[in-house]
Amino acid sequence: MITNTELEFKGDLYPSKIVLMEQDVDSVFFHADNSVILKLTVLRDSMIRFRYTVKGYFSNDFSYAIDKSHSHGYNFLEVTEENDYYQVKTSKVKCRIQKIDMRVSIFDLNDKVILEDELGFHWEECYEHGGNIVKMSKTSKDGECFYGLGDKATQLNLKGKRVENFATDQYAFSKDQEPLYKVVPFYIGLQKKQSYGIFFDNTFRTYFDFCQERRNVTSFWAEGGEMNYYFIYGPQMQDVVTTYTDLTGKPELPPLWALGYHQCKWSYFPESNVKEITAKFRDLKIPCDAIYLDIDYMEGFRCFTWNKEYFPDPKRMVAELAADGFKTIVIIDPGIKIDKEYSVYKEALEKDYFCKRADGPYMKGKVWPGECNFPDYTNPEVREWWAGLFKELVSEIGVKGVWNDMNEPAVMEVPNKTFPMDVRHDYDGNPCSHRKAHNIYGMQMARATYHGVKRFAYPKRPFVITRSAYAGAQRYTSSWTGDNVASWEHLWIANIQVQRMCISGMGFTGSDIGGFAEQPSGELYARWIQLGVFHPFCRTHSSGDHGNQEPWAFDEEVIDITRKFVNLRYQLLPYLYTMFWQYIEEGIPMLKPLVYFDQEDIQTHYRNDEFIFGNQILVCPILEPNSLGRRMYMPRGQWYNYWTSELITGGKELWVDTKFDQIPMFIKAGAIIPKYPVQQYVGELEFDELELDVYYKESKEKSVVYEDAQDGYDYKKGRFSLLSFTTIGKGNEFYIQLYKEGKYDTNYTKFKINLIGLPFKVKEIRIDNEKITYDKRIFDSKNYLIIDKEFTELNIVGI
Ligand code: MIG
């Protein structure tokens, strides 16, 4: 047994020896002599939940994070007793619980240790709060790596770091600053090429220490609540992430326009300014789908009101913007102005919907409108009321999306920047203090907003974006990374934060492109756009107090680069939509850090910059000024340089030349990348051809293209189109096979097939075994071919 320094663990208590074991279907209870109970529940063969109590009984089991519809059920479960331990075995793992001290070790079926308690579960009584600080420690081997945890602004691999989870309004945060806006207490461990996950579903302030305090120990603890965590076995990181995402839930598909480019600033007003901005996008031919109204559209910052001087007729304006392809998105904060004349305030007061202090008075805090009260979104009745408030905005005025800000919750001019900890919450019938509800406040606000927007947008799809979030918030909302800064370091941070959010289940995320605080140089803005178009959510935003941040605030060259890359995003919309569909169907992250892509390759374990966009596009942003290229790591496999079509074999570090209007971008050999024509907004054009960039590969590769009506819910009834392509290169023949599923008939009738990297001269082309005639001149000079979309096999035969 490991001994610890007296000081460090003074006051800690531990489970004593196990005196009783009972099994109840999928759960096994281990009772210790000193009232500690461990409840181990097998949810899937590869997912086991561990819940501890020190009271001799368990409190009500309630979680905002867990998706009730998550898949569970196992193939095999066997509980046995040995001399020194009990063993719980599934078809994937064995769990041993030591009789003497309840410590747990988890093994794979070859008896290789995956994860092992160091001190294991222990706690410290906390007299002041009438609860315990609950702690867990695991041993960690040299070389183990750690990933996940949401929006942390630090290197991807968390080894050697300690992080804190407490939702905080962190204006102009810096690298390594803790805590930030979001709380996702989920990490992935990777050791000896085996991955596992831990989701510590505890909403109190939590900490994770990844071998920072002690070299071979990883620990996590909470300032209250239960030691309650889920262990997820891989061994592939892919399986850990998809299982976690299944457990905490997946969103529905957003409307396709939400994957377009968004423009934001604090603030665009009055109406004439909004119109100037949108007109300029159309003038300059830079595609844009959404325009945002920040807090100044309201009357004295009162939510659900309009400043009639700036916006005399919002309904007309929103309709005019819509006619030009712009969707209007408005901000809604949680603080409700204390004002007896204000209907939202009056109603909430009458119905008793505001949060209260422990001794009775309403929780009062200063935010933009001045003194405010705050709805208790943890009360289902309050959420229902809140949802109803969106009727006018959405059904009458025609707003298409809602932006929830300040929901950490943020309070101005107080030292802790949020509510006092004694504030009471309903917590869906489990009354508690703000200590427990703080981290889920923003998520519950976004949830209520989502239900409202969804109700009134129906039969169209809603769009919601939030700043604060807890694990599982992805079911309701997209997010952005908060108030970043226009600096090169923040470009690096944004790249990591979005990758990290993607493997933490909350992939529909982006950063404020160009930086929120301070003014980016044209070069920095261009480099940020070049990264931002590869983020699931793509929006320029700035605080507006330092000059403008529309593309035309910079010189011609930057405008051209912005157009070029936003155009590329619009061309890639079917690719982006397909990866979103894989995310909602299977929980597959839209961006994949290299370690996720190839965990067997140790070179990937410490990479930060390169990532895979979807499944087949490798992107590496330029993160320094005056770059003529950069060094990067090319993961294993064969990759085509997007700009030059040069074929490169990966598994090595290399220098890549780029110009100012390029970033390193590579396409996986064998991939088929679908492209739409450039449109100024989603749905602007009707077109008759889907372009397919087909990259030759010797051997087999699969690609899919998901499409549907781009909005609405018919896709849930089977009205989608799923194209599954297989490419096969064999000697001097190249095959493209197509298998179709779904009841949606796409509007186009043809494919324009661009063949890239064919290693031979073409002799003939066959479709479904029949030789076809084609325009040889075009084909030979431009390498493309236009064919009917109805085919099952295209065969290109070389000389
Ligand atoms: O205290 O609404 O992060 O995106 O523009 C600042 C004004 C409040 C913070 C958000 C930012 C938004 C700003 N808000």
Side-chain angles (χ1 to χ4, degrees):
M1 174 109 185
I2 297 138
T3 58
N4 308 287
T5 58
E6 287 280 308
L7 196 76
E8 184 75 43
F9 293 99
K10 201 164 149 199
D12 279 349
L13 300 160
Y14 299 84
S16 58
K17 83 168 193 289
I18 297 173
V19 291
L20 176 69
M21 184 274 286
E22 295 169 303
Q23 186 179 353
D24 179 13
V25 197
D26 58 355
S27 294
V28 192
F29 294 82
F30 300 94
H31 297 257
D33 221 1
N34 60 349
S35 305
V36 176
I37 310 171
L38 159 60
K39 179 182 181 186
L40 181 158
T41 306
V42 175
L43 294 158
R44 292 165 70 159
D45 291 287
S46 58
M47 179 159 65
I48 301 175
R49 179 179 178 193
F50 295 86
R51 236 186 128 185
Y52 294 84
T53 176
V54 305
K55 300 177 296 196
Y57 61 91
F58 286 99
S59 307
N60 186 35
D61 189 19
F62 175 79
S63 166
Y64 282 117
I66 306 300
D67 181 3
K68 291 189 183 66
S69 65
H70 80 268
S71 45
H72 50 266
Y74 47 82
N75 297 309
F76 179 81
L77 172 59
E78 179 194 73
V79 183
T80 49
E81 179 173 354
E82 304 293 331
N83 274 346
D84 300 332
Y85 60 85
Y86 293 97
Q87 176 171 288
V88 179
K89 189 177 167 192
T90 74
S91 74
K92 298 266 171 71
V93 293
K94 290 180 201 170
C95 236
R96 290 186 188 149
I97 299 93
Q98 223 160 265
K99 285 182 178 173
I100 189 159
D101 55 8
M102 224 180 229
R103 284 196 297 160
V104 174
S105 312
I106 306 173
F107 302 82
D108 68 8
L109 295 186
N110 301 318
D111 284 319
K112 197 162 125 189
V113 181
I114 306 161
L115 186 63
E116 194 168 36
D117 280 355
E118 184 242 3
L119 298 168
F121 172 58
H122 51 296
W123 71 99
E124 188 183 318
E125 279 174 357
C126 181
Y127 178 72
E128 202 192 333
H129 298 130
N132 295 317
I133 298 172
V134 291
K135 310 176 184 183
M136 173 60 66
S137 64
K138 307 282 184 190
T139 58
S140 173
K141 304 275 179 325
D142 286 345
E144 188 164 8
C145 298
F146 303 95
Y147 307 92
L149 276 155
D151 62 351
K152 304 303 176 196
T154 191
Q155 65 210 37
L156 210 58
N157 184 346
L158 296 165
K159 172 93 173 219
K161 302 273 171 191
R162 174 181 287 196
V163 299
E164 178 182 349
N165 292 316
F166 187 74
T168 305
D169 175 4
Q170 209 63 275
Y171 173 79
F173 58 92
S174 52
K175 177 168 180 266
D176 290 319
Q177 186 160 354
E178 289 283 309
L180 295 180
Y181 302 88
K182 298 174 187 69
V183 173
V184 188
F186 162 66
Y187 75 86
I188 305 155
L190 170 61
Q191 201 232 140
K192 300 234 169 75
K193 302 184 178 173
Q194 280 199 325
S195 288
Y196 64 87
I198 296 282
F199 173 43
F200 181 24
D201 188 11
N202 181 312
T203 62
F204 285 78
R205 188 192 298 262
T206 54
Y207 295 85
F208 288 74
D209 185 295
F210 299 105
C211 310
Q212 193 217 44
E213 187 176 303
R214 288 183 290 153
R215 197 171 137 244
N216 289 112
V217 178
T218 295
S219 58
F220 49 93
W221 64 99
E223 293 186 348
E226 267 183 11
M227 176 48 60
N228 167 34
Y229 73 91
Y230 297 76
F231 167 84
I232 303 168
Y233 179 56
Q236 290 302 312
M237 197 176 292
Q238 269 102 312
D239 297 320
V240 175
V241 173
T242 54
T243 302
Y244 166 77
T245 308
D246 182 72
L247 178 68
T248 55
K250 300 157 197 160
E252 294 181 328
L253 279 174
L256 184 59
W257 64 260
L259 300 182
Y261 173 74
H262 300 214
Q263 182 68 35
C264 190
K265 177 187 163 173
W266 178 15
S267 296
Y268 291 129
F269 72 89
E271 174 178 340
S272 58
N273 178 233
V274 177
K275 291 278 186 58
E276 247 169 70
I277 300 293
T278 55
K280 192 85 182 175
F281 273 98
R282 297 299 180 245
D283 266 9
L284 289 175
K285 293 226 169 309
I286 299 172
C288 185
D289 259 281
I291 186 86
Y292 284 64
L293 301 181
D294 205 328
I295 47 175
D296 300 288
Y297 80 91
M298 297 183 252
E299 179 62 49
F301 307 119
R302 289 170 190 81
C303 294
F304 307 100
T305 68
W306 290 79
N307 179 315
K308 286 289 154 104
E309 191 188 315
Y310 298 153
F311 298 97
D313 188 354
K315 184 174 177 173
R316 178 192 40 74
M317 178 189 77
V318 169
E320 286 166 6
L321 291 170
D324 198 14
F326 285 94
K327 282 52 116 183
T328 304
I329 296 171
V330 299
I331 198 167
I332 290 284
D333 287 354
I336 299 299
K337 189 178 176 69
I338 299 180
D339 169 2
K340 298 234 162 64
E341 309 294 306
Y342 168 35
S343 67
V344 177
Y345 172 75
K346 274 195 306 197
E347 196 185 348
L349 194 67
E350 268 159 34
K351 296 186 166 156
D352 201 17
Y353 286 165
F354 290 125
C355 296
K356 287 185 190 138
R357 302 294 300 266
D359 299 324
Y362 286 115
M363 157 61 208
K364 204 166 80 174
K366 236 176 133 180
V367 255
W368 291 105
E371 295 287 0
C372 285
N373 291 145
F374 300 83
D376 183 10
Y377 301 103
T378 73
N379 178 340
E381 199 183 315
V382 175
R383 288 198 298 272
E384 182 58 27
W385 163 74
W386 184 260
L389 295 174
F390 290 93
K391 181 162 197 239
E392 194 188 339
L393 269 181
V394 179
S395 331
E396 309 274 310
I397 299 177
V399 160
K400 289 284 181 290
V402 174
W403 171 23
N404 283 166
D405 186 21
M406 305 291 277
N407 53 356
E408 290 70 29
V411 178
M412 293 167 174
E413 296 169 21
V414 293
N416 74 340
K417 301 203 267 189
T418 190
F419 292 4
M421 293 301 128
D422 68 88
V423 168
R424 304 293 300 166
H425 294 272
D426 179 67
Y427 215 89
D428 279 67
N430 303 276
C432 67
S433 77
H434 196 64
R435 296 174 64 244
K436 180 171 175 179
H438 176 81
N439 281 338
I440 51 87
Y441 187 86
M443 172 200 198
Q444 294 310 304
M445 181 198 187
R447 173 186 182 183
T449 301
Y450 163 77
H451 285 299
V453 181
K454 183 171 177 175
R455 184 178 309 162
F456 301 115
Y458 192 83
K460 300 282 192 200
R461 303 174 193 163
F463 174 75
V464 175
I465 178 162
T466 184
R467 192 170 71 176
S468 187
Y470 181 73
Q474 68 269 12
R475 303 199 292 275
Y476 317 116
T477 179
S478 65
S479 75
W480 88 104
T481 58
D483 296 342
N484 59 1
V485 184
S487 69
W488 290 93
E489 184 171 72
H490 261 274
L491 179 57
W492 179 88
I493 293 173
N495 179 27
I496 291 179
Q497 283 185 305
V498 177
Q499 290 183 61
R500 198 194 296 289
M501 288 294 283
C502 280
I503 55 166
S504 305
M506 269 205 88
F508 195 9
T509 301
S511 68
D512 283 352
I513 294 175
F516 179 73
E518 298 175 26
Q519 178 73 6
S521 65
E523 185 185 5
L524 176 59
Y525 182 78
R527 291 309 193 187
W528 211 315
I529 274 282
Q530 291 172 336
L531 172 63
V533 299
F534 295 106
H535 283 167
F537 177 68
C538 178
R539 178 184 79 166
T540 293
H541 182 37
S542 69
S543 67
D545 54 14
H546 53 70
N548 294 330
Q549 206 159 298
E550 296 80 36
W552 53 90
F554 309 100
D555 64 24
E556 267 325 299
E557 199 180 8
V558 174
I559 296 175
D560 290 344
I561 289 172
T562 305
R563 183 186 304 105
K564 176 175 171 173
F565 276 80
V566 176
N567 281 351
L568 178 59
R569 182 174 178 97
Y570 276 72
Q571 287 184 292
L572 290 173
L573 279 173
Y575 181 84
L576 196 51
Y577 201 46
T578 301
M579 71 202 215
F580 214 115
W581 175 75
Q582 292 179 327
Y583 169 48
I584 68 144
E585 282 288 303
E586 297 171 60
I588 297 172
M590 291 185 267
L591 305 191
K592 297 160 183 74
L594 287 199
V595 63
Y596 177 103
F597 183 72
D598 187 1
Q599 71 179 38
E600 314 291 317
D601 177 3
I602 295 172
Q603 297 295 324
T604 65
H605 295 187
Y606 292 87
R607 303 304 307 186
N608 289 306
D609 298 352
E610 311 84 353
F611 61 90
I612 312 289
F613 173 66
N615 298 317
Q616 296 163 320
I617 301 181
L618 167 66
V619 175
C620 185
I622 297 281
L623 302 172
E624 285 173 31
N626 299 312
S627 298
L628 298 171
R630 61 164 291 162
R631 283 196 79 76
M632 64 176 281
Y633 185 71
M634 179 92 32
R636 297 188 296 180
Q638 292 205 298
W639 302 90
Y640 285 90
N641 184 318
Y642 179 79
W643 309 106
T644 64
S645 297
E646 184 197 350
L647 184 62
I648 295 161
T649 301
K652 64 180 181 228
E653 211 177 48
L654 77 171
W655 171 267
V656 180
D657 284 321
T658 54
K659 307 197 175 102
F660 186 28
D661 67 348
Q662 298 174 337
I663 58 167
M665 225 183 118
F666 298 85
I667 314 289
K668 199 174 178 198
I672 294 191
I673 309 291
K675 282 180 170 170
Y676 285 166
V678 172
Q679 307 175 75
Q680 296 312 301
Y681 55 89
V682 166
E684 183 203 23
L685 300 180
E686 281 189 18
F687 46 91
D688 196 37
E689 283 164 14
L690 176 69
E691 214 169 315
L692 299 173
D693 287 353
V694 181
Y695 290 85
Y696 177 85
K697 182 188 177 186
E698 186 78 33
S699 83
K700 226 181 189 178
E701 188 71 25
K702 287 199 168 178
S703 304
V704 289
V705 181
Y706 173 88
E707 290 164 289
D708 62 20
Q710 309 184 351
D711 206 336
Y713 296 93
D714 281 356
Y715 74 100
K716 295 200 171 192
K717 294 179 234 144
R719 298 205 152 271
F720 61 83
S721 153
L722 182 63
L723 309 176
S724 302
F725 292 100
T726 307
T727 55
I728 308 165
K730 235 198 266 164
N732 62 348
E733 287 196 65
F734 187 48
Y735 298 88
I736 301 172
Q737 294 164 346
L738 170 60
Y739 175 72
K740 287 187 185 179
E741 284 164 89
K743 288 188 283 195
Y744 181 75
D745 193 14
T746 45
N747 291 331
Y748 55 82
T749 62
K750 299 185 177 73
F751 293 131
K752 178 180 177 200
I753 296 188
N754 299 314
L755 287 161
I756 298 145
L758 263 195
F760 51 73
K761 268 197 99 95
V762 176
K763 185 172 82 184
E764 64 178 50
I765 297 178
R766 298 174 155 268
I767 289 179
D768 296 333
N769 272 328
E770 283 191 30
K771 197 169 149 181
I772 60 156
T773 52
Y774 60 97
D775 190 330
K776 215 168 156 35
R777 268 220 322 263
I778 291 195
F779 185 78
D780 290 342
S781 61
K782 300 200 176 122
N783 284 311
Y784 75 76
L785 187 69
I786 293 174
I787 65 168
D788 197 276
K789 72 172 177 182
E790 306 296 335
F791 77 92
T792 47
E793 189 176 78
L794 174 68
N795 182 7
I796 308 201
V797 186
I799 292 168

